[in-house]
Amino acid sequence: MKVVVRAPSNIAFIKYWGKKNEKLRIPANSSISMNLSDAYTETSVEFKKILSDDLVIIDGKKIDGKEKERIGRHLNLIRKMARINFFAEVLSKNNFPKGAGIASSASGFAALTLAGVKAAGLNLSEKELSVLARLGSGSACRSIPDGFVEWKKGSKSSDSYAYSLKSPEYWDIRDIIVVVGEKSKKVGSTEGHKEATSSPFYKARISEMDKKIADIKLALKNKDFTKFGRIVEEEAINMHTVMMTSKPPLFYWLPKTLEIMQSITTWREAGLETYFTIDAGPNIHVICRSKDVRKVKTKLEKIQGVKKIIINRVSKGARIVK
Ligand code: PMV
């Protein structure tokens, strides 16, 4: 049976950087995110008797080497659970540039998990799907449930999973992705996580995480945009400080990244309330209220060097489309 799944990427407001268990991808701290309506991966999986190896095609390109091995390992987990030994045909398409700081691994592994599980004839709960997606790529566990999501760090594999805090309809805030660099990053997040502990600021970061999670959950509950935005921005700067001070240092920003961060601060001072966050790449996510989207878009379009603007609403999680 062939199953097609669409899974959203997600943007973390409180981020995951550093793991407690490398192999099982158990994070050092819990994280909070929203799923993105217009940055997604669509993946079909079919286990076929005639195949002599897994066949993986992403954005029209046959995948080999390390990337394919990682996907193969994920399929092995599914094959083991379903007690099947057929290889799989995996066809996957992203509607955004891969490897540029928009989490393609999050949407990719969430889609692969749900499509693979269904194609193998398994019926898993949302929690079990989230646990399984996490084993493929940590942040992928947050792309399984709907809307605003919390990934509970947990203490063992079976209790490190994400669940929905609020539905997509709960609060109409937007995430505008501003693409300023489309090249794949030099150091991906899997490598980056390993370096986190080498920053002298890592311990301080982790010690504040529980409070940050509680604070942002309260801001979400009260729909307090100002409090929410301030926490989001401080958190992004905090994570990037750890990145930049790890050994060797990781700089994901480009000059354009900083220019746009400064513009956002200036707009805010002039009354247009927006905040930024940035993942492991140079692109900026602008968080704003729905009523301000047009204004923000017009301003962004005037900035030279902006390659693409993607406007996202809060989205559902991974779902079967066929
Ligand atoms: O799931 P990974 O290994 O791609 O790590 C994601 C890391 C960040 O995007 C920087 C933060 C996050 O929580 O999404």
Side-chain angles (χ1 to χ4, degrees):
M1 187 181 43
K2 178 171 171 168
V3 180
V4 187
V5 165
R6 180 184 284 193
S9 177
N10 67 73
I11 181 67
F13 299 127
I14 304 298
K15 297 183 185 288
Y16 144 60
W17 196 247
K19 294 176 202 172
K20 211 158 55 187
N21 183 316
E22 177 68 40
K23 200 164 159 258
L24 294 174
R25 296 179 198 273
I26 298 178
N29 58 273
S30 300
S31 52
I32 306 272
S33 63
M34 91 176 212
N35 284 323
L36 304 175
S37 62
D38 285 76
Y40 54 81
T41 303
E42 229 173 68
T43 299
S44 72
V45 176
E46 187 172 12
F47 292 96
K48 287 177 160 178
K49 207 175 170 177
I50 50 154
L51 290 175
S52 55
D53 191 6
D54 290 320
L55 173 68
V56 182
I57 295 178
I58 303 180
D59 294 329
K61 232 180 84 195
K62 186 166 179 273
I63 302 296
D64 284 305
K66 282 215 166 107
E67 203 177 348
K68 187 182 152 217
E69 274 168 35
R70 185 168 169 191
I71 292 167
R73 279 200 300 276
H74 202 61
L75 290 166
N76 284 344
L77 295 176
I78 296 170
R79 281 188 275 255
K80 203 168 156 200
M81 286 171 109
R83 293 170 200 217
I84 54 171
N85 52 18
F86 297 158
F87 288 106
E89 184 178 272
V90 178
L91 309 175
S92 190
K93 260 198 304 204
N94 295 300
N95 78 330
F96 54 86
K98 215 169 138 248
I102 308 173
S104 65
S105 62
S107 53
F109 275 97
L112 180 70
T113 301
L114 181 57
V117 159
K118 289 286 171 190
L122 290 166
N123 247 327
L124 300 188
S125 66
E126 183 184 275
K127 176 178 166 182
E128 288 166 328
L129 284 167
S130 179
V131 166
L132 188 55
R134 190 203 77 232
L135 294 169
S137 175
S139 54
C141 75
R142 296 189 308 238
S143 289
I144 297 286
D146 290 345
F148 294 92
V149 167
E150 176 175 13
W151 171 10
K152 286 264 187 206
K153 65 175 188 253
S155 53
K156 55 183 187 306
S157 187
S158 58
D159 63 11
S160 183
Y161 67 98
Y163 70 99
S164 180
L165 283 172
K166 300 284 179 197
S167 72
E169 297 76 32
Y170 172 74
W171 197 19
D172 189 12
I173 60 169
R174 305 292 169 95
D175 172 275
I176 306 179
I177 307 174
V178 190
V179 179
V180 295
E182 296 192 59
K183 269 198 247 133
S184 285
K185 53 204 173 201
K186 279 197 208 100
V187 182
S189 51
T190 302
E191 294 309 307
H193 283 289
K194 287 187 210 160
E195 282 185 27
T197 50
S198 68
S199 162
F201 304 118
Y202 177 72
K203 271 206 183 121
R205 168 173 169 75
I206 296 301
S207 72
E208 288 175 348
M209 277 312 194
D210 287 347
K211 176 160 188 331
K212 264 198 220 177
I213 295 269
D215 288 350
I216 203 161
K217 277 164 86 169
L218 188 63
L220 180 65
K221 187 169 167 233
N222 296 334
K223 298 186 185 169
D224 183 339
F225 187 67
T226 302
K227 201 173 242 161
F228 190 86
R230 281 194 191 140
I231 298 171
V232 168
E233 224 177 76
E234 278 171 21
E235 160 60 2
I237 297 168
N238 183 304
M239 179 183 73
H240 279 270
T241 304
V242 167
M243 289 165 160
M244 288 175 195
T245 51
S246 62
K247 294 170 188 73
L250 289 173
F251 274 86
Y252 285 111
W253 300 349
L254 292 172
K256 266 293 154 208
T257 315
L258 194 57
E259 184 190 320
I260 296 172
M261 288 159 75
Q262 284 171 334
S263 300
I264 289 167
T265 311
T266 312
W267 301 340
R268 192 160 66 226
E269 281 161 7
L272 179 60
E273 197 176 4
T274 58
Y275 298 89
F276 62 78
T277 184
I278 306 161
D279 275 345
N283 302 321
I284 299 102
H285 292 248
V286 187
I287 312 298
C288 68
R289 293 185 174 98
S290 55
K291 70 170 178 65
D292 291 326
V293 167
R294 273 169 168 263
K295 257 193 227 156
V296 177
K297 188 171 174 252
T298 310
K299 283 188 179 290
L300 288 169
E301 279 165 350
K302 286 192 190 133
I303 301 176
Q304 250 190 22
V306 167
K307 299 201 163 98
K308 203 170 177 175
I309 296 171
I310 306 168
I311 301 170
N312 295 281
R313 292 168 182 267
V314 188
S315 159
K316 284 202 164 97
R319 56 201 175 276
I320 296 168
V321 291
K322 241 190 264 162

